[in-house]
Amino acid sequence: MILELDCGNSFIKWRVLGEDVRRVVGEGVVDSDLALLESLKGLKGLALKHCRLVSVRTAEETSALISLLAEAFGVSVVCAAPAREMSGVRNGYEEFERLGLDRWLAMLGGFHLAAGACLVLDFGTAVTADFIAGDGEHLGGFICPGMPLMRNQLRTHTRRIRYGDLAAERALESLVPGRTTVEAVERGCLLMLRGFVLTQLELARSYWGDDFAVFLTGGDADLVSEIVPEARVVPDLVFVGLAMACPLS
């Protein structure tokens, strides 16, 4: 079995692949290293042989997690690393090491699945957009706050904005002008997010006409999927790229 980890700034996304590699025997999202260990230990018949991960955390935080995994399961861990070029994709950053590894792996996965030009949109704590041409050249990208960041900034800097997650979820059942603060905030943030997406699509069309694929990934991808009906929603796009960057025998 193979354990795959996507260690973001706020959460750790994990999944365990069975012996045939194609079958997912367990998966989830946790908010701490200890919660990850508890989730894994709760899987029946767990017999890890390998682990590969991508992390945007500090080297110290990543090393601590690797040590926990080695102690708990006796597995060695392979970490994705920056690269100037891999699997036909050429990193477009002037300093390629500074491109977020999760973005890099999502681009590898998107280009592999598209076999041509693609726009990769990832909706997490932050939202990222990356443009990969048909020859594999990464043209660059954009980063903006995602729904969690926009919401939290308003809560932090505006004292009277206070509401829970359930109220936020209910507020997004419609996009008419809000008649409560929670409706106004949640719907306003979502409309900003959708405006960002539509702008990325316009730019992609200016490059490639209609000859490109669109991939949506990340926890909030479903919030914009209806305005991009041609897009492919691939929740595990980073893991597709992780398997390419860290092949295991």
Side-chain angles (χ1 to χ4, degrees), residues 172-192:
L172 293 179
E173 293 174 356
S174 168
L175 283 181
V176 300
R179 296 173 65 88
T180 64
T181 298
V182 60
E183 291 177 352
V185 169
E186 291 297 313
R187 295 172 189 178
C189 289
L190 179 54
L191 289 174
M192 288 187 70

mmCIF file with all atom_site columns, all heavy atoms in Angstrom, residues 172-192:
data_model
loop_
_atom_site.group_PDB
_atom_site.id
_atom_site.type_symbol
_atom_site.label_atom_id
_atom_site.label_alt_id
_atom_site.label_comp_id
_atom_site.label_asym_id
_atom_site.label_entity_id
_atom_site.label_seq_id
_atom_site.pdbx_PDB_ins_code
_atom_site.Cartn_x
_atom_site.Cartn_y
_atom_site.Cartn_z
_atom_site.occupancy
_atom_site.B_iso_or_equiv
_atom_site.pdbx_formal_charge
_atom_site.auth_seq_id
_atom_site.auth_comp_id
_atom_site.auth_asym_id
_atom_site.auth_atom_id
_atom_site.pdbx_PDB_model_num
ATOM 1   N N   . LEU A 1 172 ? -25.126 30.503 0.723  1.00 0.00 ? 172 LEU A N   1
ATOM 2   C CA  . LEU A 1 172 ? -24.741 30.287 -0.673 1.00 0.00 ? 172 LEU A CA  1
ATOM 3   C C   . LEU A 1 172 ? -25.780 29.492 -1.464 1.00 0.00 ? 172 LEU A C   1
ATOM 4   O O   . LEU A 1 172 ? -25.532 29.095 -2.593 1.00 0.00 ? 172 LEU A O   1
ATOM 5   C CB  . LEU A 1 172 ? -23.390 29.568 -0.722 1.00 0.00 ? 172 LEU A CB  1
ATOM 6   C CG  . LEU A 1 172 ? -22.202 30.402 -0.212 1.00 0.00 ? 172 LEU A CG  1
ATOM 7   C CD1 . LEU A 1 172 ? -20.917 29.598 -0.266 1.00 0.00 ? 172 LEU A CD1 1
ATOM 8   C CD2 . LEU A 1 172 ? -22.062 31.692 -1.009 1.00 0.00 ? 172 LEU A CD2 1
ATOM 9   N N   . GLU A 1 173 ? -26.944 29.288 -0.867 1.00 0.00 ? 173 GLU A N   1
ATOM 10  C CA  . GLU A 1 173 ? -28.011 28.601 -1.599 1.00 0.00 ? 173 GLU A CA  1
ATOM 11  C C   . GLU A 1 173 ? -28.608 29.498 -2.685 1.00 0.00 ? 173 GLU A C   1
ATOM 12  O O   . GLU A 1 173 ? -29.331 29.038 -3.561 1.00 0.00 ? 173 GLU A O   1
ATOM 13  C CB  . GLU A 1 173 ? -29.098 28.139 -0.621 1.00 0.00 ? 173 GLU A CB  1
ATOM 14  C CG  . GLU A 1 173 ? -28.615 27.042 0.335  1.00 0.00 ? 173 GLU A CG  1
ATOM 15  C CD  . GLU A 1 173 ? -29.645 26.690 1.389  1.00 0.00 ? 173 GLU A CD  1
ATOM 16  O OE1 . GLU A 1 173 ? -30.711 27.361 1.425  1.00 0.00 ? 173 GLU A OE1 1
ATOM 17  O OE2 . GLU A 1 173 ? -29.394 25.755 2.162  1.00 0.00 ? 173 GLU A OE2 1
ATOM 18  N N   . SER A 1 174 ? -28.320 30.780 -2.625 1.00 0.00 ? 174 SER A N   1
ATOM 19  C CA  . SER A 1 174 ? -28.795 31.743 -3.621 1.00 0.00 ? 174 SER A CA  1
ATOM 20  C C   . SER A 1 174 ? -27.724 32.812 -3.796 1.00 0.00 ? 174 SER A C   1
ATOM 21  O O   . SER A 1 174 ? -26.863 32.981 -2.931 1.00 0.00 ? 174 SER A O   1
ATOM 22  C CB  . SER A 1 174 ? -30.105 32.388 -3.157 1.00 0.00 ? 174 SER A CB  1
ATOM 23  O OG  . SER A 1 174 ? -30.443 33.504 -3.959 1.00 0.00 ? 174 SER A OG  1
ATOM 24  N N   . LEU A 1 175 ? -27.780 33.518 -4.928 1.00 0.00 ? 175 LEU A N   1
ATOM 25  C CA  . LEU A 1 175 ? -26.833 34.609 -5.149 1.00 0.00 ? 175 LEU A CA  1
ATOM 26  C C   . LEU A 1 175 ? -27.536 35.942 -5.386 1.00 0.00 ? 175 LEU A C   1
ATOM 27  O O   . LEU A 1 175 ? -26.972 36.845 -5.988 1.00 0.00 ? 175 LEU A O   1
ATOM 28  C CB  . LEU A 1 175 ? -25.909 34.275 -6.328 1.00 0.00 ? 175 LEU A CB  1
ATOM 29  C CG  . LEU A 1 175 ? -24.785 33.278 -6.024 1.00 0.00 ? 175 LEU A CG  1
ATOM 30  C CD1 . LEU A 1 175 ? -23.928 33.040 -7.265 1.00 0.00 ? 175 LEU A CD1 1
ATOM 31  C CD2 . LEU A 1 175 ? -23.918 33.767 -4.873 1.00 0.00 ? 175 LEU A CD2 1
ATOM 32  N N   . VAL A 1 176 ? -28.763 36.067 -4.889 1.00 0.00 ? 176 VAL A N   1
ATOM 33  C CA  . VAL A 1 176 ? -29.437 37.370 -4.946 1.00 0.00 ? 176 VAL A CA  1
ATOM 34  C C   . VAL A 1 176 ? -28.778 38.260 -3.886 1.00 0.00 ? 176 VAL A C   1
ATOM 35  O O   . VAL A 1 176 ? -28.105 37.770 -2.973 1.00 0.00 ? 176 VAL A O   1
ATOM 36  C CB  . VAL A 1 176 ? -30.955 37.229 -4.675 1.00 0.00 ? 176 VAL A CB  1
ATOM 37  C CG1 . VAL A 1 176 ? -31.586 36.325 -5.722 1.00 0.00 ? 176 VAL A CG1 1
ATOM 38  C CG2 . VAL A 1 176 ? -31.215 36.702 -3.264 1.00 0.00 ? 176 VAL A CG2 1
ATOM 39  N N   . PRO A 1 177 ? -28.934 39.579 -4.007 1.00 0.00 ? 177 PRO A N   1
ATOM 40  C CA  . PRO A 1 177 ? -28.324 40.459 -3.006 1.00 0.00 ? 177 PRO A CA  1
ATOM 41  C C   . PRO A 1 177 ? -28.708 40.051 -1.582 1.00 0.00 ? 177 PRO A C   1
ATOM 42  O O   . PRO A 1 177 ? -29.872 39.758 -1.293 1.00 0.00 ? 177 PRO A O   1
ATOM 43  C CB  . PRO A 1 177 ? -28.890 41.838 -3.367 1.00 0.00 ? 177 PRO A CB  1
ATOM 44  C CG  . PRO A 1 177 ? -29.141 41.747 -4.841 1.00 0.00 ? 177 PRO A CG  1
ATOM 45  C CD  . PRO A 1 177 ? -29.614 40.344 -5.067 1.00 0.00 ? 177 PRO A CD  1
ATOM 46  N N   . GLY A 1 178 ? -27.706 40.027 -0.695 1.00 0.00 ? 178 GLY A N   1
ATOM 47  C CA  . GLY A 1 178 ? -27.931 39.560 0.656  1.00 0.00 ? 178 GLY A CA  1
ATOM 48  C C   . GLY A 1 178 ? -28.762 40.518 1.495  1.00 0.00 ? 178 GLY A C   1
ATOM 49  O O   . GLY A 1 178 ? -28.610 41.737 1.406  1.00 0.00 ? 178 GLY A O   1
ATOM 50  N N   . ARG A 1 179 ? -29.609 39.938 2.357  1.00 0.00 ? 179 ARG A N   1
ATOM 51  C CA  . ARG A 1 179 ? -30.438 40.737 3.260  1.00 0.00 ? 179 ARG A CA  1
ATOM 52  C C   . ARG A 1 179 ? -30.009 40.542 4.721  1.00 0.00 ? 179 ARG A C   1
ATOM 53  O O   . ARG A 1 179 ? -30.667 41.013 5.641  1.00 0.00 ? 179 ARG A O   1
ATOM 54  C CB  . ARG A 1 179 ? -31.911 40.390 3.069  1.00 0.00 ? 179 ARG A CB  1
ATOM 55  C CG  . ARG A 1 179 ? -32.411 40.748 1.668  1.00 0.00 ? 179 ARG A CG  1
ATOM 56  C CD  . ARG A 1 179 ? -33.832 40.237 1.425  1.00 0.00 ? 179 ARG A CD  1
ATOM 57  N NE  . ARG A 1 179 ? -34.803 40.885 2.294  1.00 0.00 ? 179 ARG A NE  1
ATOM 58  C CZ  . ARG A 1 179 ? -35.427 42.034 2.005  1.00 0.00 ? 179 ARG A CZ  1
ATOM 59  N NH1 . ARG A 1 179 ? -35.147 42.665 0.857  1.00 0.00 ? 179 ARG A NH1 1
ATOM 60  N NH2 . ARG A 1 179 ? -36.304 42.549 2.840  1.00 0.00 ? 179 ARG A NH2 1
ATOM 61  N N   . THR A 1 180 ? -28.914 39.804 4.899  1.00 0.00 ? 180 THR A N   1
ATOM 62  C CA  . THR A 1 180 ? -28.264 39.683 6.202  1.00 0.00 ? 180 THR A CA  1
ATOM 63  C C   . THR A 1 180 ? -26.768 39.810 5.953  1.00 0.00 ? 180 THR A C   1
ATOM 64  O O   . THR A 1 180 ? -26.299 39.669 4.821  1.00 0.00 ? 180 THR A O   1
ATOM 65  C CB  . THR A 1 180 ? -28.552 38.331 6.867  1.00 0.00 ? 180 THR A CB  1
ATOM 66  O OG1 . THR A 1 180 ? -27.991 37.289 6.066  1.00 0.00 ? 180 THR A OG1 1
ATOM 67  C CG2 . THR A 1 180 ? -30.053 38.101 7.038  1.00 0.00 ? 180 THR A CG2 1
ATOM 68  N N   . THR A 1 181 ? -26.013 40.035 7.028  1.00 0.00 ? 181 THR A N   1
ATOM 69  C CA  . THR A 1 181 ? -24.569 40.187 6.863  1.00 0.00 ? 181 THR A CA  1
ATOM 70  C C   . THR A 1 181 ? -23.931 38.918 6.312  1.00 0.00 ? 181 THR A C   1
ATOM 71  O O   . THR A 1 181 ? -23.076 38.980 5.417  1.00 0.00 ? 181 THR A O   1
ATOM 72  C CB  . THR A 1 181 ? -23.907 40.561 8.207  1.00 0.00 ? 181 THR A CB  1
ATOM 73  O OG1 . THR A 1 181 ? -24.434 41.812 8.643  1.00 0.00 ? 181 THR A OG1 1
ATOM 74  C CG2 . THR A 1 181 ? -22.402 40.685 8.055  1.00 0.00 ? 181 THR A CG2 1
ATOM 75  N N   . VAL A 1 182 ? -24.337 37.774 6.833  1.00 0.00 ? 182 VAL A N   1
ATOM 76  C CA  . VAL A 1 182 ? -23.733 36.524 6.361  1.00 0.00 ? 182 VAL A CA  1
ATOM 77  C C   . VAL A 1 182 ? -24.015 36.321 4.882  1.00 0.00 ? 182 VAL A C   1
ATOM 78  O O   . VAL A 1 182 ? -23.139 35.890 4.117  1.00 0.00 ? 182 VAL A O   1
ATOM 79  C CB  . VAL A 1 182 ? -24.223 35.317 7.200  1.00 0.00 ? 182 VAL A CB  1
ATOM 80  C CG1 . VAL A 1 182 ? -25.733 35.146 7.124  1.00 0.00 ? 182 VAL A CG1 1
ATOM 81  C CG2 . VAL A 1 182 ? -23.518 34.040 6.741  1.00 0.00 ? 182 VAL A CG2 1
ATOM 82  N N   . GLU A 1 183 ? -25.221 36.643 4.431  1.00 0.00 ? 183 GLU A N   1
ATOM 83  C CA  . GLU A 1 183 ? -25.546 36.516 3.012  1.00 0.00 ? 183 GLU A CA  1
ATOM 84  C C   . GLU A 1 183 ? -24.717 37.473 2.178  1.00 0.00 ? 183 GLU A C   1
ATOM 85  O O   . GLU A 1 183 ? -24.174 37.097 1.125  1.00 0.00 ? 183 GLU A O   1
ATOM 86  C CB  . GLU A 1 183 ? -27.037 36.765 2.784  1.00 0.00 ? 183 GLU A CB  1
ATOM 87  C CG  . GLU A 1 183 ? -27.945 35.678 3.336  1.00 0.00 ? 183 GLU A CG  1
ATOM 88  C CD  . GLU A 1 183 ? -29.411 36.006 3.147  1.00 0.00 ? 183 GLU A CD  1
ATOM 89  O OE1 . GLU A 1 183 ? -29.735 37.149 2.732  1.00 0.00 ? 183 GLU A OE1 1
ATOM 90  O OE2 . GLU A 1 183 ? -30.253 35.132 3.420  1.00 0.00 ? 183 GLU A OE2 1
ATOM 91  N N   . ALA A 1 184 ? -24.605 38.704 2.635  1.00 0.00 ? 184 ALA A N   1
ATOM 92  C CA  . ALA A 1 184 ? -23.859 39.715 1.874  1.00 0.00 ? 184 ALA A CA  1
ATOM 93  C C   . ALA A 1 184 ? -22.389 39.338 1.757  1.00 0.00 ? 184 ALA A C   1
ATOM 94  O O   . ALA A 1 184 ? -21.781 39.462 0.684  1.00 0.00 ? 184 ALA A O   1
ATOM 95  C CB  . ALA A 1 184 ? -24.004 41.080 2.543  1.00 0.00 ? 184 ALA A CB  1
ATOM 96  N N   . VAL A 1 185 ? -21.789 38.870 2.850  1.00 0.00 ? 185 VAL A N   1
ATOM 97  C CA  . VAL A 1 185 ? -20.376 38.508 2.834  1.00 0.00 ? 185 VAL A CA  1
ATOM 98  C C   . VAL A 1 185 ? -20.128 37.269 1.973  1.00 0.00 ? 185 VAL A C   1
ATOM 99  O O   . VAL A 1 185 ? -19.264 37.279 1.074  1.00 0.00 ? 185 VAL A O   1
ATOM 100 C CB  . VAL A 1 185 ? -19.855 38.260 4.271  1.00 0.00 ? 185 VAL A CB  1
ATOM 101 C CG1 . VAL A 1 185 ? -18.468 37.627 4.231  1.00 0.00 ? 185 VAL A CG1 1
ATOM 102 C CG2 . VAL A 1 185 ? -19.814 39.558 5.052  1.00 0.00 ? 185 VAL A CG2 1
ATOM 103 N N   . GLU A 1 186 ? -20.852 36.211 2.235  1.00 0.00 ? 186 GLU A N   1
ATOM 104 C CA  . GLU A 1 186 ? -20.596 34.955 1.531  1.00 0.00 ? 186 GLU A CA  1
ATOM 105 C C   . GLU A 1 186 ? -20.863 35.081 0.030  1.00 0.00 ? 186 GLU A C   1
ATOM 106 O O   . GLU A 1 186 ? -20.083 34.603 -0.798 1.00 0.00 ? 186 GLU A O   1
ATOM 107 C CB  . GLU A 1 186 ? -21.456 33.828 2.123  1.00 0.00 ? 186 GLU A CB  1
ATOM 108 C CG  . GLU A 1 186 ? -21.056 33.415 3.524  1.00 0.00 ? 186 GLU A CG  1
ATOM 109 C CD  . GLU A 1 186 ? -19.662 32.835 3.577  1.00 0.00 ? 186 GLU A CD  1
ATOM 110 O OE1 . GLU A 1 186 ? -19.316 31.982 2.743  1.00 0.00 ? 186 GLU A OE1 1
ATOM 111 O OE2 . GLU A 1 186 ? -18.897 33.249 4.478  1.00 0.00 ? 186 GLU A OE2 1
ATOM 112 N N   . ARG A 1 187 ? -21.944 35.729 -0.317 1.00 0.00 ? 187 ARG A N   1
ATOM 113 C CA  . ARG A 1 187 ? -22.279 35.883 -1.733 1.00 0.00 ? 187 ARG A CA  1
ATOM 114 C C   . ARG A 1 187 ? -21.325 36.853 -2.415 1.00 0.00 ? 187 ARG A C   1
ATOM 115 O O   . ARG A 1 187 ? -20.942 36.636 -3.569 1.00 0.00 ? 187 ARG A O   1
ATOM 116 C CB  . ARG A 1 187 ? -23.732 36.335 -1.874 1.00 0.00 ? 187 ARG A CB  1
ATOM 117 C CG  . ARG A 1 187 ? -24.715 35.284 -1.391 1.00 0.00 ? 187 ARG A CG  1
ATOM 118 C CD  . ARG A 1 187 ? -26.148 35.774 -1.338 1.00 0.00 ? 187 ARG A CD  1
ATOM 119 N NE  . ARG A 1 187 ? -26.992 34.778 -0.676 1.00 0.00 ? 187 ARG A NE  1
ATOM 120 C CZ  . ARG A 1 187 ? -28.293 34.932 -0.434 1.00 0.00 ? 187 ARG A CZ  1
ATOM 121 N NH1 . ARG A 1 187 ? -28.910 36.063 -0.797 1.00 0.00 ? 187 ARG A NH1 1
ATOM 122 N NH2 . ARG A 1 187 ? -28.980 33.985 0.166  1.00 0.00 ? 187 ARG A NH2 1
ATOM 123 N N   . GLY A 1 188 ? -20.912 37.888 -1.710 1.00 0.00 ? 188 GLY A N   1
ATOM 124 C CA  . GLY A 1 188 ? -19.946 38.819 -2.290 1.00 0.00 ? 188 GLY A CA  1
ATOM 125 C C   . GLY A 1 188 ? -18.614 38.146 -2.558 1.00 0.00 ? 188 GLY A C   1
ATOM 126 O O   . GLY A 1 188 ? -18.006 38.340 -3.620 1.00 0.00 ? 188 GLY A O   1
ATOM 127 N N   . CYS A 1 189 ? -18.138 37.339 -1.602 1.00 0.00 ? 189 CYS A N   1
ATOM 128 C CA  . CYS A 1 189 ? -16.863 36.632 -1.783 1.00 0.00 ? 189 CYS A CA  1
ATOM 129 C C   . CYS A 1 189 ? -16.951 35.639 -2.939 1.00 0.00 ? 189 CYS A C   1
ATOM 130 O O   . CYS A 1 189 ? -16.018 35.516 -3.741 1.00 0.00 ? 189 CYS A O   1
ATOM 131 C CB  . CYS A 1 189 ? -16.474 35.907 -0.498 1.00 0.00 ? 189 CYS A CB  1
ATOM 132 S SG  . CYS A 1 189 ? -15.966 37.000 0.850  1.00 0.00 ? 189 CYS A SG  1
ATOM 133 N N   . LEU A 1 190 ? -18.080 34.933 -3.021 1.00 0.00 ? 190 LEU A N   1
ATOM 134 C CA  . LEU A 1 190 ? -18.219 33.955 -4.101 1.00 0.00 ? 190 LEU A CA  1
ATOM 135 C C   . LEU A 1 190 ? -18.244 34.643 -5.461 1.00 0.00 ? 190 LEU A C   1
ATOM 136 O O   . LEU A 1 190 ? -17.640 34.150 -6.428 1.00 0.00 ? 190 LEU A O   1
ATOM 137 C CB  . LEU A 1 190 ? -19.483 33.127 -3.898 1.00 0.00 ? 190 LEU A CB  1
ATOM 138 C CG  . LEU A 1 190 ? -19.770 32.078 -4.990 1.00 0.00 ? 190 LEU A CG  1
ATOM 139 C CD1 . LEU A 1 190 ? -18.572 31.156 -5.195 1.00 0.00 ? 190 LEU A CD1 1
ATOM 140 C CD2 . LEU A 1 190 ? -21.022 31.279 -4.656 1.00 0.00 ? 190 LEU A CD2 1
ATOM 141 N N   . LEU A 1 191 ? -18.930 35.787 -5.554 1.00 0.00 ? 191 LEU A N   1
ATOM 142 C CA  . LEU A 1 191 ? -18.964 36.500 -6.830 1.00 0.00 ? 191 LEU A CA  1
ATOM 143 C C   . LEU A 1 191 ? -17.570 37.005 -7.217 1.00 0.00 ? 191 LEU A C   1
ATOM 144 O O   . LEU A 1 191 ? -17.217 37.008 -8.400 1.00 0.00 ? 191 LEU A O   1
ATOM 145 C CB  . LEU A 1 191 ? -19.956 37.655 -6.759 1.00 0.00 ? 191 LEU A CB  1
ATOM 146 C CG  . LEU A 1 191 ? -21.434 37.237 -6.717 1.00 0.00 ? 191 LEU A CG  1
ATOM 147 C CD1 . LEU A 1 191 ? -22.332 38.453 -6.504 1.00 0.00 ? 191 LEU A CD1 1
ATOM 148 C CD2 . LEU A 1 191 ? -21.830 36.494 -7.985 1.00 0.00 ? 191 LEU A CD2 1
ATOM 149 N N   . MET A 1 192 ? -16.769 37.418 -6.233 1.00 0.00 ? 192 MET A N   1
ATOM 150 C CA  . MET A 1 192 ? -15.397 37.799 -6.530 1.00 0.00 ? 192 MET A CA  1
ATOM 151 C C   . MET A 1 192 ? -14.613 36.599 -7.062 1.00 0.00 ? 192 MET A C   1
ATOM 152 O O   . MET A 1 192 ? -13.845 36.717 -8.022 1.00 0.00 ? 192 MET A O   1
ATOM 153 C CB  . MET A 1 192 ? -14.717 38.359 -5.276 1.00 0.00 ? 192 MET A CB  1
ATOM 154 C CG  . MET A 1 192 ? -15.205 39.727 -4.865 1.00 0.00 ? 192 MET A CG  1
ATOM 155 S SD  . MET A 1 192 ? -14.236 40.443 -3.508 1.00 0.00 ? 192 MET A SD  1
ATOM 156 C CE  . MET A 1 192 ? -12.693 40.767 -4.355 1.00 0.00 ? 192 MET A CE  1
#
